[in-house]
Each structure stands twice: as structure tokens, then as C-alpha cells.
Amino acid sequence: MKTEKISELTINRLSIYLRCLNELAGAGEATVSSRSLAERFNLNSAQIRKDLAYFGEFGIRGVGYYVEDLRQQLMRILGLLTTHRVAIIGAGNLGLALANYPGFSEKSFRIVAIFDVDPAKVGMKLRDGLTISRTDGLRETIERESVEIVILTVPAEVAEAVFNEVTGAGVRTVLNFAPVHLPPRPGVKVKTVDLSISLESLSHFLANPAGEPSGW
Amino acid sequence: MKTEKISELTINRLSIYLRCLNELAGAGEATVSSRSLAERFNLNSAQIRKDLAYFGEFGIRGVGYYVEDLRQQLMRILGLLTTHRVAIIGAGNLGLALANYPGFSEKSFRIVAIFDVDPAKVGMKLRDGLTISRTDGLRETIERESVEIVILTVPAEVAEAVFNEVTGAGVRTVLNFAPVHLPPRPGVKVKTVDLSISLESLSHFLANPAGEPSGW
């Protein structure tokens, strides 16, 4: 494995490759070349080879990749061979939508707790074993439930305070939907999701319909 | 401008550069070099130069980029100099969260309609001028409101039927949150958002804390 720093964009592309491989595996295909992977899913074959080369030698000359083997390797690299315990903070519309998002549980993420400050929401059962908890028991619940990942769906003005509380409780990975920049903290990885970025690639298309960007 | 196909990832990076420039403009900075832009926001300076070169010559030797000028150019390329009229189909938790997402209106997107099949929801006022509409008037409302972009937050099993209806009504850009692959349609751009991709870069970090991926 190369020691140079691997970019977030490389990691995001591995997630995309994994989805393509899942589709190929579902269709019963055993092997695929980087060229045919690129053609079928509108990706770049040189980029695929370069991204995978960061992590080892996966291709076999004259064969390409073994689909199931590469899937397992990507799942290992992406940390998806174990299930991660996730807590959502903020049971507004977005928090509730994420609590019910079917894609998470299929992909090694298990929502084990959801919190809100609103007393009217606390105690509401969302589904088997998932009930909205009071935020004043946040730290205790995070420790008891061995939460590894926190999803922040709180209003912007309280995001930093909640972030400080959860990282203080030992959480090292935070997915932030609040439209604020959270301060860097050693050993903590924050990913801020900006839903308007997806809309901007559509407005680019509206402004430049001839130059339709490809793929993902 | 080069004629080669510009990738979706390039367009997404332009959105990120625009956010960085907005921050610099807010801080009153007049110029920035690709190197200092990269250093301050944890980006790659060669990539910045390459991405921008697709669209023209924006840098000035010895100066770098004029922040306000480059902002305007990126907004033009991303089609953000005009406001786009957006409809949301599906007023579940995710649809309602997006209808109230503050980031959209700041960024040239105006939600002009939201639809649901549930009679109990139809007629609910969300805010000034935005009321949940019946899906059986979909086509008519899309035409009357000159909707350009549709956000699909419907269950997976009805997504394709709704997609056919909105593209039949002339909509050419669709942001799809349903976990399904929508069929290609000439002249129509679909972007499917998979919220679990963001979680996977966090689980990668948990599995490889030493090789923390950088930046965005």
C-alpha cells in the first residue's frame, strides 16, 4: 500500500465502485475489466486503476478483477465488514428521515439512538427498539450504546455545542447536516453534507445542456 | 473552452471552490492563489488549476485569482446567476426537510411546489406561499409554475412512474433520493443522492484512523 495521503474523493469513488460491483455480483458476473467497468457505469478506467492501486494489486492480467473478491476488498477498505453503531441528534424532519433511511441498515450502519430537546418528542417510538431520547442523557447513552458515528441534524446555532459534547463523549466521526463549519479537533473526522451541491450540478446542466456531465 | 467531456466530479469540485471563495469574499479578501486556496481549504492546487482550465483562463500570473471575479465565473458556469424553480414530490420527512432546507434559497433554488398523495397532507401550509398539493394535478402545476428541477422523495416502488410523469411534463433535471436506478432518457439529467456514501467515508476513517482522508 502506498503511504501518500488518500483523498476523500478517492474514498468516495471507492463507494461508487462498490455499488457498481454489487450490481455486477447481483447479475451473476464473476469478473470485470477496468475498461468494461468504466464503460458500463460511465466511469474513467485510468482513474479506477489509479484509485485501486493505492490499496494493493487487485487486477489479474488478462482477466481484470474478480467481482466478489474486489467487493470484499472494497468493503474491508471502507470499514464495512463490521456494523457501525450510529446515533442521530435532532429528530426534526431530516433526523426522522435518516432514522428511517433504508440504505443505512443494508450498508453496515445501525441507528441505535436518536435524540431531541423537544419534550413532546421524547419517548416517541419510531420502530422496534428505537425511541427518541432526551438530549440531557446524551453522553451516558453514547457510552452505553457504544456509539461510533454521530449524525448531527440540529439547528445551525447549536451544532457546535452539540459537536463539543459528542466528541467529549469519545465520538470520533461526525456526519454534519447543519450548515456550519465545525472546528477541527485532533483525531476526529467530520464530514459536512451540503445538499445544495447536488442541485448545482443540475443547474449546471440547465445552463450547459450540450456539455452534459457524465456518470455519477 | 476545451471541448472534452467535463465530468460530474469536476462540476462538484467547482461547487466546493465556490463555497471557499464565498468564505474568502466574506472575509474581505480580494485575490487568492491556487496554492493558498488549496492550503486553506485542504484541496489540491494542481486539480484546481486543471478544473478551472476547462472553462477558460481565470488566473493572472503573479496575482492568482481575483476572488469576486472567479466567484462570478463559477456562478455563471454552475448556472447560479438565475433562480431555478424547484418542485418536491413526496412530502414525507425527507421532502419536508428539503422544503425547509435553508441552503437552497440562498443558492438560487426556489421551492415553488410540493406534492403528496396523502389526502391528510394536501392543503397543509408549510410557509409563505408553499402548500402541499395533490399529485393528480402534477403535470398542470409543473407547467403553470415553470418548474425546472424536480426533487423526488417518493418511495422506491413509485419512483419510476413519477419520474416518467415529470419528464413527460417537460422537466429535464431530476434530483432523486429514492434508492432506485432511474432509466436514462435523452436530454434528461438525473442525479441520484445516496446518503450512505457520506457514512462510508466515516467508516473508512474508523477502519484506518492513521490514514485520515483530507478535506472535503
Side-chain angles (χ1 to χ4, degrees):
Chain A
M1 190 186 298
K2 296 187 186 170
T3 53
E4 60 184 294
K5 218 169 175 187
I6 292 154
S7 82
E8 185 86 23
L9 293 172
T10 299
I11 300 303
N12 288 344
R13 283 192 298 267
L14 296 188
S15 290
I16 289 168
Y17 304 155
L18 177 57
R19 282 157 180 73
C20 300
L21 291 165
N22 287 342
E23 211 168 295
L24 293 176
E29 309 212 14
T31 63
V32 68
S33 66
S34 58
R35 207 180 67 170
S36 100
L37 193 61
E39 276 168 9
R40 292 181 53 167
F41 296 98
N42 222 342
L43 304 166
N44 177 313
S45 63
Q47 181 86 71
I48 293 172
R49 290 191 296 273
K50 191 180 162 210
D51 287 337
L52 295 177
Y54 283 116
F55 301 96
E57 284 286 344
F58 302 119
I60 314 284
R61 191 171 296 273
V63 172
Y65 304 103
Y66 287 105
V67 170
E68 193 48 43
D69 179 53
L70 187 55
R71 270 190 72 218
Q72 291 297 321
Q73 295 289 349
L74 290 180
M75 289 188 68
R76 179 185 55 76
I77 294 164
L78 291 170
L80 301 175
L81 295 177
T82 53
T83 296
H84 298 286
R85 299 174 67 82
V86 179
I88 294 173
I89 314 203
N93 284 314
L94 187 57
L96 293 174
L98 294 172
N100 292 311
Y101 191 65
F104 290 162
S105 52
E106 287 160 18
K107 299 199 180 75
S108 320
F109 301 102
R110 188 168 154 223
I111 312 288
V112 296
I114 177 166
F115 298 88
D116 205 275
V117 284
D118 182 354
K121 288 183 180 170
V122 171
M124 257 178 62
K125 282 196 197 321
L126 300 185
R127 52 182 160 77
D128 257 14
L130 190 64
T131 303
I132 300 177
S133 304
R134 305 156 58 97
T135 38
D136 52 11
L138 194 59
R139 192 183 186 116
E140 197 190 305
T141 309
I142 282 175
E143 288 169 359
R144 189 185 62 236
E145 293 287 344
S146 307
V147 168
E148 287 179 286
I149 299 176
V150 158
I151 301 180
L152 285 188
T153 47
V154 294
E157 56 273 23
V158 299
E160 189 170 335
V162 176
F163 174 70
N164 289 337
E165 201 173 343
V166 299
T167 53
V171 170
R172 288 164 46 233
T173 44
V174 174
L175 185 63
N176 172 39
F177 282 87
V180 288
H181 182 76
L182 295 171
R185 202 169 252 254
V188 174
K189 165 106 184 122
V190 177
K191 198 165 164 71
T192 295
V193 176
D194 181 341
L195 293 167
S196 53
I197 283 185
S198 311
L199 277 182
E200 291 183 10
S201 80
L202 296 180
S203 67
H204 167 75
F205 174 77
L206 289 171
N208 311 270
E212 175 176 7
S214 62
W216 297 82
Chain B
M1 192 187 296
K2 295 183 187 175
T3 53
E4 62 182 293
K5 218 167 172 187
I6 293 155
S7 83
E8 185 86 22
L9 293 172
T10 299
I11 301 302
N12 287 346
R13 284 192 297 267
L14 296 188
S15 289
I16 289 168
Y17 304 155
L18 177 58
R19 281 157 180 72
C20 300
L21 291 166
N22 287 343
E23 211 168 294
L24 293 177
E29 308 213 13
T31 63
V32 68
S33 66
S34 58
R35 206 179 70 170
S36 99
L37 192 61
E39 278 170 8
R40 292 184 53 169
F41 296 98
N42 223 341
L43 305 165
N44 177 315
S45 63
Q47 181 84 72
I48 294 172
R49 290 190 297 272
K50 191 179 160 212
D51 287 337
L52 295 178
Y54 283 116
F55 301 95
E57 284 287 343
F58 302 118
I60 314 284
R61 192 173 293 276
V63 172
Y65 304 104
Y66 287 105
V67 170
E68 193 49 44
D69 178 53
L70 187 56
R71 270 190 71 219
Q72 291 298 321
Q73 296 288 351
L74 290 180
M75 289 188 68
R76 178 185 56 77
I77 294 164
L78 292 170
L80 300 176
L81 295 178
T82 53
T83 297
H84 297 287
R85 298 173 70 81
V86 179
I88 294 173
I89 314 202
N93 285 315
L94 187 56
L96 292 173
L98 295 172
N100 293 311
Y101 190 65
F104 290 163
S105 52
E106 287 160 18
K107 296 198 182 77
S108 318
F109 301 102
R110 188 169 154 223
I111 313 289
V112 296
I114 177 165
F115 298 88
D116 204 274
V117 284
D118 182 354
K121 286 182 179 170
V122 171
M124 256 180 62
K125 282 196 195 323
L126 300 184
R127 51 182 160 77
D128 258 13
L130 191 63
T131 303
I132 299 177
S133 305
R134 305 155 60 96
T135 37
D136 52 11
L138 195 60
R139 190 180 187 118
E140 196 191 306
T141 309
I142 282 176
E143 288 169 1
R144 190 185 62 235
E145 293 286 346
S146 307
V147 168
E148 288 179 286
I149 300 175
V150 158
I151 302 180
L152 284 188
T153 48
V154 295
E157 56 274 23
V158 297
E160 191 171 332
V162 176
F163 174 68
N164 289 337
E165 202 175 343
V166 298
T167 53
V171 170
R172 289 164 46 234
T173 45
V174 175
L175 186 63
N176 173 38
F177 282 87
V180 288
H181 182 75
L182 295 171
R185 202 168 253 255
V188 175
K189 166 109 185 120
V190 178
K191 197 166 165 74
T192 294
V193 176
D194 181 341
L195 293 166
S196 53
I197 284 186
S198 310
L199 277 182
E200 290 183 10
S201 81
L202 296 180
S203 67
H204 167 77
F205 174 78
L206 289 170
N208 310 270
E212 174 176 9
S214 61
W216 298 81

